[in-house]
Amino acid sequence: MDNNLINKLEKFYDLNDHEKQETLISILNLANDNPEKFINAIQNEKFNRLNNLPIIYEALSKDLDNWADFFITEIERLFETAKQSKTPYNILNHLQEFTFIDPNKFKHRDRIVEILATQLDNENSTFRFCSLDLLPDFVKDDDMLTIKKMKKLLKDENWRIRYWTYLNLKDIGVLDEQIDKLSWTDRLRSKFLNNLKFQ
């Protein structure tokens, strides 16, 4: 990676929109020139707020013909790495960057839903939350099996999970207001307590 590109990565969020797009294309071209070397570099990125994973994911999402398989391998890597961590949220919050993927162009859309839906049963609330948070971007309106599984979390033991389940179901238009309700207690908690407190 040349020094100019490294400098742009370091200052990415200070660039104007045109410069950002140029940088993303440069990253993508570099990745396509030597995918194996680039993937190795990605796997060496540390899971912290200073890493370049959000920018890299956004760049690769622009070429799903070549990088769709990578995103499936990567989501599996994130979950496996998180299992070994005392602070899995530091790893799994990178799933938010998968929203750059256009689900209508992603050939593994059903597979990514399957992976996320499996984690809804995880004993660790962080895994449940991070999976729940990404699912609305990929689940199909007629995927009643996954939606039913999501709705079970309306009765989750963790009030934050119940709260975000309610919002996500409402956001994708599958909430039955007569049946799928959020308690007043949870509503009050969401107003006065941190609703994103996951480790």
Side-chain angles (χ1 to χ4, degrees), residues 8 19 49 52 54 61 77 101-102 116 119 125 138 141 162 176 181:
K8 284 187 176 181
E19 290 171 328
R49 294 181 180 180
N52 295 311
S61 72
R77 182 178 80 94
I101 298 172
D102 183 343
L116 293 171
Q119 294 298 329
S125 62
F138 292 94
D141 294 341
R162 297 194 298 270
D176 186 336
K181 297 182 179 181

Side-chain angles (χ1 to χ4, degrees), residues 141-166:
D141 294 341
D142 60 353
D143 185 354
M144 300 313 298
L145 187 63
T146 301
I147 291 171
K148 183 178 180 180
K149 197 167 187 179
M150 291 172 70
K151 285 190 174 187
K152 285 184 179 180
L153 295 186
L154 287 168
K155 297 181 180 179
D156 194 90
E157 63 183 11
N158 186 312
W159 75 264
R160 293 179 175 89
I161 298 289
R162 297 194 298 270
Y163 172 71
W164 285 107
T165 299
Y166 180 85

